[in-house]
Amino acid sequence: MCLVSCKSRKEAKASDKTADINQRIGGGADQVAFGKCFVDGCAARMKGNLDEALKLFNQCNIIDPSNVPVKYELGFIYKLLGVNDKALMYAKICAAADQRNEYYQMLLIDCYNVLKMYNQSVKLRENLVKNFPAKSEFKEDLAIQYSVMGYYEKAFKIYEDLEKQFGVNEQISLNKTKLLKSLKKNKEAEDELKRLSESAPSEARFYSYLADFYLEQNELEKAKAMYDKILSIEPNNPIVNLALHDYYSAQGKTKEAFEHLKKAFINPDLDVITKESIILSFYKKADNPMFRENGFELAKIMIQVHPQSPEANAAYADYLLLEGKLIDAMPYYYKAAINEKGNYRIWEQLLKVDYELSKFDSLEKHSARAMELFPSQANIYFFNGMANMQLKNYKKAAQAFKDGLEFVVDNKSQMLDFYSGLGDAYNYNKEFEKSDKAFEDALKIDSDNTFVLNQYAYFLSLRKENLEKAEKLSKKANELQPGNRSYMDTYGWILFQLKKYTEAEEWLSNAAKLGPKKPDILEHYGDVLYKLNKVNEAVKQWENAKLAGGNSETLLKKIKEKKLND
């Protein structure tokens, strides 16, 4: 039985000499076993199951130790597995067995290169060029290896021969230029690039190679001349316009530089990722009015050219946000988010805008979707909890705060916000024991947090529970932040519950005088006045509370009956 390598359909064309080298397998049973193992080995390797393939080809090798294609397969698999000594051993056997089999020679070359045995591999490449003079790829590979080994003159000679064979060719010219620069023959390198551009005067790309070369040599005016040449062929070439932006920027000509940048942005062929990175560089300097204005102009161009791009929509929304245009920014963040579901920053920006605009229906919907996309981002759960609090979905709010806590890591401030949110949600859901525990956990993190102190105290006062503790908490909040009318109102209301009416009147009177009229503070003030037998004054404050927007049944009943119904 005679078999050849199964490396691929193309590579399976082994030399006819393989048949002469292979030895016949003795019995019919051995032939069947060998054939099955070989075919199964090929199938396993093609599926990427290298261990199974190795096992099968080793069985083939036991049946027929002289079969060269089997040794080729073994060498090839060992090379893939990184077992370089065995790969080299089998590759040498194959290469020696048939010096005109290009696949056997290439396997040995690859093994030598992996082991950095370049002197041995280059000799084999030289033999391939001699044995297959019509195959230009072998000449190119030899030239590359010469270059790697520092044999620049030899490599250059090969490219010269290839050019005689195929004429002026872009890749050959670039390879020759690279070698000439390595040999520090810059004038010859320039001439080579000129010759390339002259071979196709309407090919703008060839002039760009010259422009890059001149930039490397710091010959800016020559580079500028090449850019002008390119623009005469392709007026909207984005790469050249970017290069001219850099050119004019280096000379301090910001107006000219920006004009070329705009031309680059107008071209849809300049990818959005490049545009996004440029806009970001302007955004980071937005404290400077010029950068802010120019960045916004680029963002406007980008959204016009790429209206469906998430990056364009997000960038434009960022600049709208800088201008304080939250309502205008929201639909662009939304469009960016739904088209780029994996970008957390965009989703977070959308949620922040929803929150700032008090769009709690949208915030609840968007944060719920974001929790599915980014299940380990604590901030999203917080937004969901806050949205549900405002929508009076207190059970869902508590669940969001509770779930989000699991993802807070080494962030005491964030953890405190979650516990505070839990305290609020549990209280409104009438789970008072859980509410108190959440506030206690928050105060363990920061015992001087005035918001938590006031909120905890106020909820206790509403329930008329543990009022002595509520008084201490509220008093501390007012000491830490004097003049806060909400905190003053809480303290006055606690004193009211403790029947300390004279002290309560002082605190509630002062709270009522600060800032715009608030119905709850005015109602509390009226209640304490009533307890001090100042009925007319009490009714007046209740009426003021109604005028300020208060409309509860309890308040309206107080006004109508002119008395406090305890």
Side-chain angles (χ1 to χ4, degrees):
M1 172 180 282
C2 299
L3 291 172
V4 295
S5 155
C6 64
K7 186 169 186 288
S8 70
R9 292 298 90 199
K10 179 181 177 182
E11 293 169 353
K13 295 171 66 179
S15 168
D16 291 339
K17 285 194 174 182
T18 303
D20 299 327
I21 295 169
N22 291 344
Q23 299 296 317
R24 284 195 169 276
I25 302 169
D30 283 343
Q31 282 185 335
V32 172
F34 181 93
K36 186 175 187 311
C37 284
F38 193 90
V39 170
D40 289 348
C42 289
R45 184 174 65 72
M46 289 175 181
K47 290 178 181 178
N49 192 345
L50 300 183
D51 290 335
E52 178 65 18
L54 189 63
K55 176 183 174 183
L56 290 164
F57 285 124
N58 272 318
Q59 289 178 16
C60 288
N61 199 37
I62 292 171
I63 297 170
D64 184 5
S66 64
N67 191 287
V68 180
V70 169
K71 289 178 170 52
Y72 173 83
E73 291 295 337
L74 287 168
F76 186 75
I77 292 172
Y78 277 125
K79 180 173 74 73
L80 292 177
L81 292 171
V83 185
N84 297 323
D85 54 343
K86 288 191 176 182
L88 181 62
M89 176 186 75
Y90 284 114
K92 282 182 175 180
I93 293 171
C94 294
D98 188 350
Q99 295 184 15
R100 292 190 60 83
N101 184 308
E102 59 189 272
Y103 302 109
Y104 295 171
Q105 303 302 314
M106 287 300 301
L107 176 61
L108 184 54
I109 287 170
D110 289 343
C111 290
Y112 279 142
N113 283 335
V114 168
L115 295 167
K116 295 182 170 52
M117 300 170 69
Y118 300 123
N119 288 329
Q120 289 87 334
S121 67
V122 79
K123 289 177 183 177
L124 290 174
R125 288 199 188 278
E126 289 169 345
N127 287 334
L128 280 176
V129 169
K130 290 177 184 176
N131 291 332
F132 301 94
K135 290 204 169 187
S136 60
E137 62 265 32
F138 290 155
K139 294 178 183 178
E140 291 174 25
D141 290 342
L142 178 58
I144 292 169
Q145 182 133 13
Y146 278 150
S147 298
V148 170
M149 298 175 70
Y151 301 156
Y152 302 130
E153 297 284 3
K154 286 186 175 183
F156 189 81
K157 174 76 167 58
I158 291 176
Y159 287 126
E160 288 271 71
D161 292 341
L162 286 169
E163 194 171 73
K164 289 175 183 176
Q165 183 179 352
F166 297 108
V168 176
N169 170 281
E170 180 180 1
Q171 194 54 56
I172 291 174
S173 292
L174 292 177
N175 288 336
K176 287 172 69 181
T177 301
K178 185 176 180 181
L179 289 168
L180 289 167
K181 287 195 289 185
S182 298
L183 291 165
K184 302 192 183 304
K185 295 182 178 182
N186 291 329
K187 181 64 174 69
E188 289 85 343
E190 179 185 5
D191 291 340
E192 184 64 39
L193 291 173
K194 281 182 177 179
R195 202 155 61 87
L196 175 63
S197 61
E198 289 166 0
S199 70
S202 61
E203 181 53 71
R205 186 173 67 257
F206 294 169
Y207 294 104
S208 71
Y209 298 141
L210 263 172
D212 292 343
F213 173 80
Y214 287 135
L215 284 178
E216 290 174 8
Q217 304 304 312
N218 202 31
E219 297 185 74
L220 300 183
E221 291 308 317
K222 285 187 176 182
K224 169 67 166 50
M226 291 302 104
Y227 291 138
D228 290 341
K229 184 71 175 175
I230 296 169
L231 290 179
S232 70
I233 302 169
E234 298 178 359
N236 295 320
N237 187 301
I239 304 304
V240 173
N241 277 299
L242 288 180
L244 284 169
H245 165 264
D246 295 342
Y247 171 81
Y248 283 116
S249 294
Q251 297 181 36
K253 297 180 179 180
T254 55
K255 185 177 180 180
E256 292 89 337
F258 188 63
E259 286 302 313
H260 282 287
L261 196 54
K262 287 195 294 183
K263 288 179 181 178
F265 266 65
I266 289 169
N267 193 321
D269 292 336
L270 182 62
D271 64 280
V272 292
I273 302 303
T274 299
K275 289 176 179 176
E276 181 188 35
S277 67
I278 292 170
I279 287 178
L280 180 59
S281 70
F282 279 82
Y283 188 84
K284 289 178 179 178
K285 301 175 184 176
D287 289 342
N288 183 314
M290 183 191 74
F291 283 101
R292 183 169 179 157
E293 182 180 341
N294 288 350
F296 200 3
E297 188 170 354
L298 292 175
K300 288 176 182 176
I301 295 172
M302 188 177 176
I303 195 67
Q304 289 169 1
V305 177
H306 309 281
Q308 302 304 318
S309 160
E311 294 83 3
N313 279 276
Y316 188 53
D318 286 343
Y319 274 95
L320 287 170
L321 209 59
L322 274 181
E323 299 295 316
K325 298 178 179 179
L326 277 73
I327 294 176
D328 293 336
M330 187 172 67
Y332 290 99
Y333 277 132
Y334 178 70
K335 190 172 184 179
I338 61 172
N339 286 321
E340 181 47 87
K341 295 181 174 61
N343 191 318
Y344 172 71
R345 188 198 77 85
I346 294 175
W347 279 90
E348 187 178 48
Q349 287 293 90
L350 174 63
L351 300 184
K352 286 179 180 178
V353 172
D354 283 340
Y355 183 77
E356 290 294 324
L357 292 172
S358 299
K359 301 282 187 180
F360 298 113
D361 284 329
S362 295
L363 180 61
E364 194 280 329
K365 178 183 175 182
H366 295 156
S367 59
R369 179 66 178 123
M371 286 192 297
E372 295 174 1
L373 297 170
F374 311 98
S376 62
Q377 291 290 344
N379 212 28
I380 292 174
Y381 291 87
F382 185 76
F383 278 120
N384 186 262
M386 294 300 289
N388 279 299
M389 284 295 295
Q390 294 297 322
L391 297 172
K392 303 187 186 311
N393 300 325
Y394 301 123
K395 189 172 182 179
K396 288 176 69 176
Q399 191 63 51
F401 289 132
K402 183 180 176 183
D403 291 344
L405 262 173
E406 297 180 19
F407 303 106
V408 179
V409 180
D410 296 330
N411 189 331
K412 290 185 176 181
S413 175
Q414 191 177 41
M415 189 173 291
L416 187 144
D417 288 340
F418 272 93
Y419 278 125
S420 175
L422 267 176
D424 288 351
Y426 282 138
N427 177 78
Y428 287 116
N429 206 41
K430 302 188 184 306
E431 297 180 84
F432 300 127
E433 188 175 339
K434 289 182 177 180
S435 174
D436 291 351
K437 184 179 184 309
F439 283 126
E440 292 289 350
D441 287 336
L443 290 174
K444 287 176 185 177
I445 297 170
D446 181 3
S447 60
D448 293 336
N449 187 284
T450 55
F451 177 82
V452 175
L453 289 166
N454 178 73
Q455 200 79 339
Y456 189 12
Y458 186 63
F459 286 147
L460 288 173
S461 73
L462 290 178
R463 286 150 42 196
K464 299 180 182 180
E465 292 180 5
N466 210 345
L467 292 174
E468 290 76 12
K469 180 171 186 174
E471 181 184 11
K472 290 178 182 178
L473 294 170
S474 181
K475 183 177 181 181
K476 185 175 182 180
N478 280 281
E479 288 172 348
L480 290 168
Q481 192 174 330
N484 184 308
R485 66 190 307 213
S486 293
Y487 297 174
M488 293 164 67
D489 173 58
T490 298
Y491 191 55
W493 187 244
I494 293 169
L495 292 171
F496 176 89
Q497 300 292 352
L498 290 168
K499 303 187 184 328
K500 298 179 181 181
Y501 300 127
T502 302
E503 294 176 62
E505 180 191 14
E506 181 180 355
W507 281 88
L508 291 170
S509 172
N510 288 332
K513 293 173 185 175
L514 292 174
K517 293 182 178 181
K518 290 187 67 175
D520 53 342
I521 295 177
L522 292 169
E523 185 177 356
H524 289 164
Y525 184 30
D527 290 356
V528 75
L529 287 170
Y530 186 89
K531 286 293 184 181
L532 291 170
N533 295 316
K534 300 178 182 181
V535 178
N536 291 334
E537 293 180 46
V539 174
K540 182 179 179 181
Q541 295 304 324
W542 291 335
E543 289 174 341
N544 286 338
K546 180 182 176 182
L547 290 172
N551 61 357
S552 68
E553 289 185 14
T554 304
L555 174 62
L556 297 177
K557 186 176 181 181
K558 291 175 189 176
I559 295 171
K560 182 179 179 181
E561 298 180 357
K562 297 186 178 181
K563 70 175 183 177
L564 178 65
N565 298 290
D566 293 304

